[in-house]
Amino acid sequence: MNKLTAMLFVSTSLYAMGALAQAAEEATLDEIIVTAQKRAQNLQDVPISVNAFSRDFIDVVGAESMGDLDEFTPGLSVGSGQTTQPSYSIRGIGSSDFGVGTEPAVGVYVDGIYSARSGAALVFFSDVERVEVLKGPQGTLFGRNTAAGAVSIVTKKPSDQREGRIQARYGSDNKRRLEATMNFPLTDKLAVRANWLINKSDGYVTDAVTGEGLNREDNAAFRVAVRWRPGENTDINLNFEQDKTDKDGNAAIAVATHSLSGGDPYGAFANDVEKGNEKRELNGVFLSVQHDFGAAELKTLTSYKEFTTSIRNDEDGTNLPAFYLDTENREDNKQFYQEIQLSGDTDALTWMVGGSYHWEDGKQAHSVNAKTESIDTLLGALSGGALSIFAPFIDAGVPLGGRIWNETLFNHTKNNSLAAFADVTWKATDKLNLSMGVRYTRDSKDFTWENGGRTIEEIDLFVLPGAYYNGYIAQLNAGLGTSIPLFDPAANIPFDDFSKMILGGVVGGNGDLIFNLGPAIEGQMVNVDDVWTDFSPRFVADYKITDDVMIFASVAKGYKAGGYSGLEVNSSFNPEKVWNYEVGLKSTLMDGKLRLNLSAYHYKYKDLQEISFEKTSPDGLPLYFTRTGDMKAWGLDGEIRYLVNDNLQLFASLGLVDAKWSRRQQRSAVTTELIDISGQPTGAPTTDLIVGLDYDHSLGNSGSLQFHLDHSYTSAPRDNDLTGENLMPLLGYVDLTKFTGYRTAQHRTNARISWTDGSEHWQLSVFGRNIFDNQYVGSPGGYVAVEFQSPVIKPTRGRFIGIDASYSF
């Protein structure tokens, strides 16, 4: 099916476009300039698979972040439901872990500066010049943690023209978005550019009990840039950015048949998470200095960034105290980055050498919060209904109900990364270029775990005579066959001591349930450190068959630093490494009216790092484990854009990938035994296809109308032996027949109609995203899906209709 799809994509598109050629006029497609090789080049001259998006395209599709562009980029997937914990994957490779001890497989760069941690990796588009998505390892030119690829976001620089733009958006769910940009040339050598962004909405799902909208948005961003050009050969840019986000954490919908939704993932639901929200405050300063010496050009990049984030999510999908569970993540991060590049271009050679240094200090706290009632529910599930700590005393009048039970695991990391790199392109002939590059990287990490133990809200208020406890202990000893000692009946015993003793005698440990790490680690600090080094080369040959047709072949190595799982004490990851082999075609045909780009690739990936949430015994609680595995894939990327005439453009993009594990073990949710799934699919969809058109209709002196339409298709995720195994414990109380859109192919259609006045100052637009309201459901699950019989899903956004109005001057 994959081969057939690829053949149809190329042959049918070429045939149809060839038939339209007679209608074509003298217009040509716009040239696209990218910096994928750290220098400005025509996209068609770059021997890398790149998808590039201009500011105009971002406006046309209404994209507000990378989470809105992945459907236009075959092979790219962005999980952007949580601003502080986004996930990126390219060609089936990514990382879902957001801990400070691990690294992403897709590097995100803003104006050449690496955004190291997930909390800063989702950037809201404001005054963006272009976005480039580079597929395949980019380690030589971009550095570590780009084993799958890189996303490069380039903002607009101050210019010597007085200009500005104001754009307002209103849409579904009371969406309000306002962006303003002003550019001021102060002298012929000094200019300032400032941008403000405010974005709010009332949420796209509704709590059936309170009537409140959930998944609400509230963020504001600000950037000011100063550009000084003291001479013709010197360019200095200083930027300051700030981002403040205060929005809801992701809502959860309980989908058991006995829940409020009746098992319907699109049905009624209620959440009761305490203080459930997501916050980020990010501040950064960036300095670039560029000087042309004639024979060579020097460029330095300096950046300091700090941010704090917090996110608290509902995990049980109900408003019932007996099932209450939420998770919370807090992070405080500081990072410094310095890069120096020296480059030159002669008749025979284009070269660049340089070095970089990255420093990071990150602190993170992982918390699980329950209520005293839900702890009893959990203990009852683990003991066959024989154990509850709080209920007997609540029934006796002790006010212990509704109190928050908290367990927190703290992490602290100090990371240093040094790199040296060189890249050279030899113009062997007028048609043949040979490129070679290498990067040496040295990563060091110092990482700490500290289990803070569990606390119960205001538990110190409750001190009871030992006699209150002894009857319960005697009954428990008889029912479970334990031998927990009795208290002195007249002694005053803190309830906290009693609860820890009961849990220690029945479950083990010092009273923790989720982070039950044993008494040797409870309250202790565990520290590790390590150093990893790597050489990442790339070899590329590109050949111009004609001035407008280029073929290329490349071999590149990618590297992702080793690290530690913040949720499993004393765990560690080996570095990830990948070798990618690729051949491709870049072509501009039919006198500049047709652009056809293709690339085929094969990669072998070693030690892919993942965090897995597994049970080690059927009657135990799930715990976090460190898993690694090797994978390999074959794939194809394709892109066609055809200019029918001055008014009409057609475009299509295709991505095919066949990704399988070559070495992988994971635990069965049924037997809790490890299952070998080597040779089976990783789960990544095989096919991404995007088709669309842009049409411009002149209204004479009244301006013009622009029409945009696109449709994206993503095939269903691929199953392996674990897919059904992980669902089986839930099938007794989940009705999958109600799960419309469950693990199916996904279709989304977007459209926009815009009017631009004759002076091209004003523009009014009506647009829709996912206009047919297609919604899809992932696998039900959660921290205690089995124990609470309350598996959850996270809702996806349906149809969005909006109106844009902008004024440019």
Side-chain angles (χ1 to χ4, degrees):
M1 181 63 183
N2 287 352
K3 292 181 179 179
L4 178 60
T5 304
M7 293 173 63
L8 287 173
F9 172 78
V10 177
S11 60
T12 304
S13 300
L14 287 176
Y15 177 80
M17 293 175 177
L20 289 168
Q22 295 178 354
E25 300 177 3
E26 295 304 318
T28 60
L29 291 168
D30 292 336
E31 185 179 78
I32 301 174
I33 302 299
V34 297
T35 53
Q37 296 193 113
K38 293 293 185 81
R39 60 184 186 272
Q41 292 178 280
N42 184 336
L43 174 67
Q44 297 304 96
D45 294 331
V46 178
I48 299 173
S49 181
V50 182
N51 289 98
F53 304 99
S54 66
R55 171 77 250 187
D56 289 342
F57 184 86
I58 291 170
D59 282 345
V60 163
V61 300
E64 297 180 5
S65 72
M66 283 304 303
D68 297 322
L69 284 184
D70 61 350
E71 64 187 87
F72 303 101
T73 313
L76 172 68
S77 177
V78 181
S80 58
Q82 300 181 155
T83 302
T84 63
Q85 295 176 5
S87 59
Y88 291 80
S89 70
I90 293 179
R91 292 176 171 176
I93 302 171
S95 175
S96 59
D97 186 18
F98 51 85
V100 295
T102 59
E103 308 288 345
V106 178
V108 178
Y109 294 79
V110 181
D111 292 328
I113 299 298
Y114 176 52
S115 292
R117 191 58 50 213
S118 61
L122 188 69
V123 178
F124 294 105
F125 293 153
S126 58
D127 203 27
V128 168
E129 181 175 313
R130 69 179 181 277
V131 175
E132 303 171 18
V133 180
L134 289 65
K135 301 176 183 178
Q138 306 299 323
T140 300
L141 292 171
F142 281 86
R144 60 202 267 276
N145 306 336
T146 55
V151 174
S152 176
I153 300 171
V154 181
T155 64
K156 288 190 175 181
K157 293 182 178 180
S159 68
D160 57 4
Q161 299 293 321
R162 184 177 296 275
E163 59 183 2
R165 183 174 188 250
I166 299 175
Q167 182 185 49
R169 174 173 297 171
Y170 183 79
S172 305
D173 315 315
N174 197 24
K175 172 82 167 188
R176 295 95 72 202
R177 186 179 189 272
L178 179 65
E179 181 180 357
T181 302
M182 297 289 291
N183 189 92
F184 305 94
L186 302 180
T187 70
D188 59 347
K189 297 181 179 181
L190 185 66
V192 177
R193 191 178 188 94
N195 175 266
W196 300 264
L197 171 67
I198 299 173
N199 178 59
K200 299 176 182 287
S201 83
D202 292 349
Y204 56 88
V205 291
T206 303
D207 188 300
V209 174
T210 66
E212 289 189 2
L214 296 179
N215 288 357
R216 292 166 289 197
E217 300 174 308
D218 187 354
N219 61 278
F222 169 73
R223 182 190 305 115
V224 60
V226 180
R227 187 178 189 181
W228 180 40
R229 287 172 286 186
E232 292 184 0
N233 299 327
T234 305
D235 192 355
I236 301 173
N237 288 268
L238 178 66
N239 291 7
F240 171 78
E241 63 174 337
Q242 183 180 79
D243 175 282
K244 290 186 177 181
T245 295
D246 187 354
K247 61 187 286 289
D248 285 341
N250 255 2
I253 298 177
V255 290
T257 52
H258 57 264
S259 65
L260 186 61
S261 70
D264 182 355
Y266 308 108
F269 75 101
N271 282 180
D272 61 353
V273 61
E274 300 280 345
K275 302 176 183 177
N277 62 4
E278 182 175 14
K279 293 184 178 182
R280 176 175 70 181
E281 182 166 348
L282 183 150
N283 294 280
V285 62
F286 160 62
L287 174 67
S288 72
V289 179
Q290 196 166 341
H291 182 77
D292 190 346
F293 292 98
E297 183 176 89
L298 177 67
K299 184 176 183 179
T300 70
L301 303 172
T302 307
S303 170
Y304 177 78
K305 185 179 295 186
E306 61 183 29
F307 61 86
T308 58
T309 66
S310 64
I311 180 170
R312 192 168 183 177
N313 281 331
D314 185 87
E315 298 291 348
D316 62 284
T318 77
N319 65 341
L320 304 175
F323 298 100
Y324 185 93
L325 192 80
D326 76 63
T327 56
E328 184 178 9
N329 180 76
R330 302 182 303 278
E331 186 176 350
D332 185 348
N333 191 287
K334 299 176 178 65
Q335 51 187 269
F336 171 81
Y337 184 79
Q338 176 67 58
E339 182 170 330
I340 299 175
Q341 306 169 9
L342 185 66
S343 60
D345 192 356
T346 67
D347 291 339
L349 297 176
T350 300
W351 56 272
M352 179 174 62
V353 296
S356 65
Y357 171 70
H358 181 258
W359 165 86
E360 179 182 13
D361 189 314
K363 298 176 182 178
Q364 193 167 30
H366 309 272
S367 294
V368 176
N369 301 294
K371 287 189 175 180
T372 47
E373 292 91 338
S374 57
I375 290 296
D376 275 351
T377 301
L378 184 56
L379 293 172
L382 295 174
S383 64
L387 177 62
S388 63
I389 294 179
F390 302 100
F393 298 91
I394 295 173
D395 292 343
V398 181
L400 285 166
R403 301 190 180 276
I404 293 293
W405 167 296
N406 169 271
E407 298 182 28
T408 300
L409 185 60
F410 297 94
N411 301 145
H412 185 194
T413 189
K414 293 182 178 180
N415 305 333
N416 289 274
S417 179
L418 282 167
F421 56 90
D423 193 81
V424 60
T425 297
W426 175 42
K427 303 164 190 174
T429 71
D430 290 341
K431 296 179 178 294
L432 176 65
N433 292 322
L434 300 176
S435 300
M436 183 178 71
V438 65
R439 178 180 290 257
Y440 169 78
T441 305
R442 182 186 186 275
D443 285 310
S444 66
K445 289 188 178 184
D446 186 299
F447 193 82
T448 299
W449 296 267
E450 184 178 2
N451 188 9
R454 70 107 172 96
T455 62
I456 305 173
E457 183 182 13
E458 297 183 334
I459 196 65
D460 56 320
L461 300 179
F462 303 100
V463 179
L464 304 174
Y468 270 73
Y469 305 117
N470 287 342
Y472 173 82
I473 294 174
Q475 185 179 10
L476 189 65
N477 285 338
L480 294 179
T482 56
S483 56
I484 299 172
L486 300 178
F487 292 109
D488 179 349
N492 290 322
I493 308 298
F495 190 91
D496 199 28
D497 292 350
F498 160 76
S499 66
K500 288 181 178 179
M501 187 180 73
I502 297 297
L503 287 175
V506 177
V507 181
N510 282 0
D512 284 5
L513 287 174
I514 304 300
F515 298 129
N516 186 2
L517 307 177
I521 294 178
E522 190 78 25
Q524 301 299 311
M525 189 174 292
V526 179
N527 179 259
V528 293
D529 60 81
D530 210 338
V531 175
W532 301 275
T533 60
D534 176 75
F535 282 95
S536 291
R538 77 164 188 151
F539 306 94
V540 186
D542 64 82
Y543 183 78
K544 288 271 191 177
I545 299 175
T546 69
D547 288 344
D548 298 317
V549 179
M550 179 184 76
I551 57 174
F552 67 89
S554 67
V555 178
K557 181 188 176 186
Y559 160 76
K560 171 180 166 180
Y564 311 98
S565 166
L567 295 168
E568 184 185 359
V569 176
N570 255 340
S571 65
S572 64
F573 292 117
N574 290 324
E576 293 181 6
K577 297 180 181 180
V578 58
W579 281 97
N580 187 78
Y581 310 88
E582 193 154 347
V583 294
L585 166 75
K586 296 281 185 82
S587 62
T588 304
L589 308 172
M590 298 171 58
D591 297 323
K593 300 176 181 64
L594 173 65
R595 182 178 298 135
L596 171 63
N597 296 336
L598 295 169
S599 63
Y601 61 87
H602 171 58
Y603 66 71
K604 296 181 178 180
Y605 209 98
K606 183 174 178 59
D607 288 325
L608 181 70
Q609 307 165 2
E610 285 191 350
I611 303 299
S612 185
F613 197 49
E614 306 171 0
K615 281 189 172 187
T616 57
S617 63
D619 58 351
L621 279 174
L623 300 171
Y624 288 97
F625 290 91
T626 300
R627 296 277 175 223
T628 61
D630 301 339
M631 62 182 292
K632 59 184 178 181
W634 297 86
L636 174 73
D637 288 331
E639 183 179 17
I640 291 178
R641 183 170 287 272
Y642 178 63
L643 182 65
V644 179
N645 52 46
D646 282 345
N647 307 104
L648 177 63
Q649 284 193 40
L650 307 176
F651 62 88
S653 296
L654 172 71
L656 301 175
V657 62
D658 178 15
K660 294 182 178 179
W661 294 111
S662 50
R663 178 184 62 86
R664 176 69 168 184
Q665 284 189 330
Q666 197 161 330
R667 205 174 296 276
S668 164
V670 177
T671 67
T672 68
E673 299 294 328
L674 287 174
I675 293 180
D676 191 338
I677 55 173
S678 303
Q680 299 184 31
T682 62
T686 59
T687 308
D688 288 314
L689 178 64
I690 301 101
V691 296
L693 64 85
D694 289 288
Y695 180 74
D696 193 328
H697 176 70
S698 175
L699 299 175
N701 293 333
S702 299
S704 61
L705 291 175
Q706 297 86 39
F707 301 87
H708 172 88
L709 180 68
D710 67 73
H711 180 82
S712 64
Y713 162 83
T714 300
S715 62
R718 301 173 70 190
D719 293 342
N720 56 44
D721 286 350
L722 276 174
T723 307
E725 289 266 343
N726 291 333
L727 276 176
M728 286 185 66
L730 308 178
L731 294 182
Y733 41 90
V734 173
D735 184 0
L736 291 179
T737 63
K738 297 183 178 182
F739 278 46
T740 305
Y742 173 65
R743 295 185 68 83
T744 62
Q746 299 188 12
H747 294 264
R748 289 184 175 85
T749 305
N750 309 307
R752 175 180 287 257
I753 302 175
S754 303
W755 169 75
T756 305
D757 77 315
S759 67
E760 298 188 350
H761 291 312
W762 288 97
Q763 186 176 78
L764 297 175
S765 305
V766 178
F767 69 98
R769 294 182 60 83
N770 192 16
I771 59 177
F772 296 113
D773 200 27
N774 294 325
Q775 296 186 57
Y776 302 95
V777 181
S779 294
Y783 273 74
V784 283
V786 176
E787 290 74 16
F788 284 180
Q789 296 187 1
S790 185
V792 299
I793 60 100
K794 300 292 185 178
T796 58
R797 183 184 289 275
R799 180 192 298 114
F800 179 88
I801 304 297
I803 301 172
D804 279 349
S806 66
Y807 177 71
S808 303
F809 58 91

PDB file of all heavy atoms in Angstrom, residues 355-372:
ATOM      1  N   GLY A 355      32.204  26.553  17.607  1.00  0.00           N
ATOM      2  CA  GLY A 355      32.070  25.843  18.872  1.00  0.00           C
ATOM      3  C   GLY A 355      30.879  26.383  19.640  1.00  0.00           C
ATOM      4  O   GLY A 355      30.389  27.485  19.370  1.00  0.00           O
ATOM      5  N   SER A 356      30.406  25.604  20.603  1.00  0.00           N
ATOM      6  CA  SER A 356      29.267  26.046  21.399  1.00  0.00           C
ATOM      7  C   SER A 356      29.408  25.521  22.827  1.00  0.00           C
ATOM      8  O   SER A 356      30.093  24.522  23.090  1.00  0.00           O
ATOM      9  CB  SER A 356      27.943  25.565  20.792  1.00  0.00           C
ATOM     10  OG  SER A 356      27.847  24.156  20.835  1.00  0.00           O
ATOM     11  N   TYR A 357      28.736  26.230  23.721  1.00  0.00           N
ATOM     12  CA  TYR A 357      28.696  25.829  25.128  1.00  0.00           C
ATOM     13  C   TYR A 357      27.279  26.036  25.636  1.00  0.00           C
ATOM     14  O   TYR A 357      26.661  27.076  25.400  1.00  0.00           O
ATOM     15  CB  TYR A 357      29.676  26.658  25.959  1.00  0.00           C
ATOM     16  CG  TYR A 357      29.527  26.444  27.460  1.00  0.00           C
ATOM     17  CD1 TYR A 357      29.897  25.242  28.047  1.00  0.00           C
ATOM     18  CD2 TYR A 357      28.997  27.448  28.280  1.00  0.00           C
ATOM     19  CE1 TYR A 357      29.752  25.038  29.416  1.00  0.00           C
ATOM     20  CE2 TYR A 357      28.860  27.255  29.647  1.00  0.00           C
ATOM     21  CZ  TYR A 357      29.237  26.046  30.206  1.00  0.00           C
ATOM     22  OH  TYR A 357      29.087  25.832  31.553  1.00  0.00           O
ATOM     23  N   HIS A 358      26.753  25.027  26.320  1.00  0.00           N
ATOM     24  CA  HIS A 358      25.412  25.126  26.890  1.00  0.00           C
ATOM     25  C   HIS A 358      25.470  24.719  28.355  1.00  0.00           C
ATOM     26  O   HIS A 358      26.046  23.687  28.700  1.00  0.00           O
ATOM     27  CB  HIS A 358      24.436  24.224  26.130  1.00  0.00           C
ATOM     28  CG  HIS A 358      23.030  24.293  26.651  1.00  0.00           C
ATOM     29  ND1 HIS A 358      22.481  23.327  27.454  1.00  0.00           N
ATOM     30  CD2 HIS A 358      22.067  25.229  26.485  1.00  0.00           C
ATOM     31  CE1 HIS A 358      21.240  23.666  27.762  1.00  0.00           C
ATOM     32  NE2 HIS A 358      20.959  24.805  27.184  1.00  0.00           N
ATOM     33  N   TRP A 359      24.863  25.550  29.203  1.00  0.00           N
ATOM     34  CA  TRP A 359      24.804  25.286  30.641  1.00  0.00           C
ATOM     35  C   TRP A 359      23.353  25.351  31.086  1.00  0.00           C
ATOM     36  O   TRP A 359      22.589  26.210  30.643  1.00  0.00           O
ATOM     37  CB  TRP A 359      25.626  26.326  31.390  1.00  0.00           C
ATOM     38  CG  TRP A 359      25.365  26.369  32.872  1.00  0.00           C
ATOM     39  CD1 TRP A 359      25.948  25.609  33.844  1.00  0.00           C
ATOM     40  CD2 TRP A 359      24.440  27.234  33.557  1.00  0.00           C
ATOM     41  NE1 TRP A 359      25.441  25.943  35.083  1.00  0.00           N
ATOM     42  CE2 TRP A 359      24.513  26.942  34.942  1.00  0.00           C
ATOM     43  CE3 TRP A 359      23.547  28.221  33.127  1.00  0.00           C
ATOM     44  CZ2 TRP A 359      23.739  27.601  35.889  1.00  0.00           C
ATOM     45  CZ3 TRP A 359      22.773  28.885  34.066  1.00  0.00           C
ATOM     46  CH2 TRP A 359      22.875  28.574  35.433  1.00  0.00           C
ATOM     47  N   GLU A 360      22.977  24.432  31.959  1.00  0.00           N
ATOM     48  CA  GLU A 360      21.597  24.386  32.424  1.00  0.00           C
ATOM     49  C   GLU A 360      21.558  23.986  33.893  1.00  0.00           C
ATOM     50  O   GLU A 360      22.286  23.099  34.336  1.00  0.00           O
ATOM     51  CB  GLU A 360      20.786  23.379  31.602  1.00  0.00           C
ATOM     52  CG  GLU A 360      19.334  23.253  32.045  1.00  0.00           C
ATOM     53  CD  GLU A 360      18.573  22.217  31.235  1.00  0.00           C
ATOM     54  OE1 GLU A 360      19.235  21.422  30.506  1.00  0.00           O
ATOM     55  OE2 GLU A 360      17.337  22.186  31.328  1.00  0.00           O
ATOM     56  N   ASP A 361      20.696  24.654  34.643  1.00  0.00           N
ATOM     57  CA  ASP A 361      20.426  24.314  36.036  1.00  0.00           C
ATOM     58  C   ASP A 361      18.916  24.175  36.152  1.00  0.00           C
ATOM     59  O   ASP A 361      18.182  25.166  36.039  1.00  0.00           O
ATOM     60  CB  ASP A 361      20.942  25.415  36.964  1.00  0.00           C
ATOM     61  CG  ASP A 361      20.869  25.002  38.437  1.00  0.00           C
ATOM     62  OD1 ASP A 361      19.824  24.468  38.851  1.00  0.00           O
ATOM     63  OD2 ASP A 361      21.853  25.231  39.168  1.00  0.00           O
ATOM     64  N   GLY A 362      18.453  22.940  36.364  1.00  0.00           N
ATOM     65  CA  GLY A 362      17.021  22.690  36.386  1.00  0.00           C
ATOM     66  C   GLY A 362      16.576  21.986  37.657  1.00  0.00           C
ATOM     67  O   GLY A 362      17.209  21.028  38.102  1.00  0.00           O
ATOM     68  N   LYS A 363      15.496  22.485  38.236  1.00  0.00           N
ATOM     69  CA  LYS A 363      14.892  21.853  39.408  1.00  0.00           C
ATOM     70  C   LYS A 363      13.456  21.479  39.060  1.00  0.00           C
ATOM     71  O   LYS A 363      12.739  22.267  38.443  1.00  0.00           O
ATOM     72  CB  LYS A 363      14.906  22.801  40.609  1.00  0.00           C
ATOM     73  CG  LYS A 363      16.310  23.192  41.057  1.00  0.00           C
ATOM     74  CD  LYS A 363      16.265  24.202  42.195  1.00  0.00           C
ATOM     75  CE  LYS A 363      17.672  24.634  42.604  1.00  0.00           C
ATOM     76  NZ  LYS A 363      17.638  25.657  43.679  1.00  0.00           N
ATOM     77  N   GLN A 364      13.062  20.275  39.497  1.00  0.00           N
ATOM     78  CA  GLN A 364      11.731  19.781  39.138  1.00  0.00           C
ATOM     79  C   GLN A 364      11.135  19.014  40.303  1.00  0.00           C
ATOM     80  O   GLN A 364      11.851  18.329  41.046  1.00  0.00           O
ATOM     81  CB  GLN A 364      11.828  18.877  37.901  1.00  0.00           C
ATOM     82  CG  GLN A 364      10.508  18.557  37.246  1.00  0.00           C
ATOM     83  CD  GLN A 364      10.710  17.932  35.878  1.00  0.00           C
ATOM     84  OE1 GLN A 364      11.701  17.251  35.621  1.00  0.00           O
ATOM     85  NE2 GLN A 364       9.781  18.153  34.976  1.00  0.00           N
ATOM     86  N   ALA A 365       9.832  19.146  40.476  1.00  0.00           N
ATOM     87  CA  ALA A 365       9.106  18.405  41.503  1.00  0.00           C
ATOM     88  C   ALA A 365       7.929  17.694  40.844  1.00  0.00           C
ATOM     89  O   ALA A 365       7.114  18.330  40.171  1.00  0.00           O
ATOM     90  CB  ALA A 365       8.610  19.339  42.596  1.00  0.00           C
ATOM     91  N   HIS A 366       7.872  16.362  41.007  1.00  0.00           N
ATOM     92  CA  HIS A 366       6.776  15.558  40.493  1.00  0.00           C
ATOM     93  C   HIS A 366       5.873  15.186  41.675  1.00  0.00           C
ATOM     94  O   HIS A 366       6.330  14.540  42.624  1.00  0.00           O
ATOM     95  CB  HIS A 366       7.283  14.266  39.841  1.00  0.00           C
ATOM     96  CG  HIS A 366       8.369  14.479  38.842  1.00  0.00           C
ATOM     97  ND1 HIS A 366       8.123  14.733  37.515  1.00  0.00           N
ATOM     98  CD2 HIS A 366       9.720  14.474  38.979  1.00  0.00           C
ATOM     99  CE1 HIS A 366       9.275  14.866  36.867  1.00  0.00           C
ATOM    100  NE2 HIS A 366      10.257  14.711  37.735  1.00  0.00           N
ATOM    101  N   SER A 367       4.611  15.575  41.603  1.00  0.00           N
ATOM    102  CA  SER A 367       3.693  15.300  42.716  1.00  0.00           C
ATOM    103  C   SER A 367       2.490  14.511  42.238  1.00  0.00           C
ATOM    104  O   SER A 367       2.008  14.693  41.110  1.00  0.00           O
ATOM    105  CB  SER A 367       3.204  16.606  43.358  1.00  0.00           C
ATOM    106  OG  SER A 367       4.256  17.304  43.977  1.00  0.00           O
ATOM    107  N   VAL A 368       2.007  13.645  43.117  1.00  0.00           N
ATOM    108  CA  VAL A 368       0.724  12.975  42.940  1.00  0.00           C
ATOM    109  C   VAL A 368      -0.129  13.344  44.137  1.00  0.00           C
ATOM    110  O   VAL A 368       0.305  13.226  45.291  1.00  0.00           O
ATOM    111  CB  VAL A 368       0.884  11.445  42.836  1.00  0.00           C
ATOM    112  CG1 VAL A 368      -0.482  10.774  42.753  1.00  0.00           C
ATOM    113  CG2 VAL A 368       1.723  11.083  41.627  1.00  0.00           C
ATOM    114  N   ASN A 369      -1.345  13.827  43.867  1.00  0.00           N
ATOM    115  CA  ASN A 369      -2.255  14.252  44.927  1.00  0.00           C
ATOM    116  C   ASN A 369      -3.524  13.411  44.881  1.00  0.00           C
ATOM    117  O   ASN A 369      -4.119  13.215  43.817  1.00  0.00           O
ATOM    118  CB  ASN A 369      -2.625  15.726  44.761  1.00  0.00           C
ATOM    119  CG  ASN A 369      -1.411  16.637  44.789  1.00  0.00           C
ATOM    120  OD1 ASN A 369      -0.747  16.757  45.806  1.00  0.00           O
ATOM    121  ND2 ASN A 369      -1.113  17.280  43.666  1.00  0.00           N
ATOM    122  N   ALA A 370      -3.930  12.908  46.034  1.00  0.00           N
ATOM    123  CA  ALA A 370      -5.182  12.173  46.170  1.00  0.00           C
ATOM    124  C   ALA A 370      -5.957  12.779  47.334  1.00  0.00           C
ATOM    125  O   ALA A 370      -5.503  13.747  47.962  1.00  0.00           O
ATOM    126  CB  ALA A 370      -4.909  10.692  46.415  1.00  0.00           C
ATOM    127  N   LYS A 371      -7.122  12.242  47.619  1.00  0.00           N
ATOM    128  CA  LYS A 371      -7.871  12.616  48.811  1.00  0.00           C
ATOM    129  C   LYS A 371      -7.967  11.401  49.725  1.00  0.00           C
ATOM    130  O   LYS A 371      -7.785  10.258  49.293  1.00  0.00           O
ATOM    131  CB  LYS A 371      -9.256  13.138  48.444  1.00  0.00           C
ATOM    132  CG  LYS A 371      -9.217  14.524  47.810  1.00  0.00           C
ATOM    133  CD  LYS A 371     -10.597  15.124  47.642  1.00  0.00           C
ATOM    134  CE  LYS A 371     -10.496  16.554  47.117  1.00  0.00           C
ATOM    135  NZ  LYS A 371     -11.831  17.182  46.927  1.00  0.00           N
ATOM    136  N   THR A 372      -8.256  11.668  50.977  1.00  0.00           N
ATOM    137  CA  THR A 372      -8.320  10.559  51.932  1.00  0.00           C
ATOM    138  C   THR A 372      -9.331   9.505  51.490  1.00  0.00           C
ATOM    139  O   THR A 372      -9.084   8.304  51.641  1.00  0.00           O
ATOM    140  CB  THR A 372      -8.671  11.097  53.321  1.00  0.00           C
ATOM    141  OG1 THR A 372      -9.785  12.010  53.219  1.00  0.00           O
ATOM    142  CG2 THR A 372      -7.498  11.822  53.946  1.00  0.00           C
TER     143      THR A 372
END
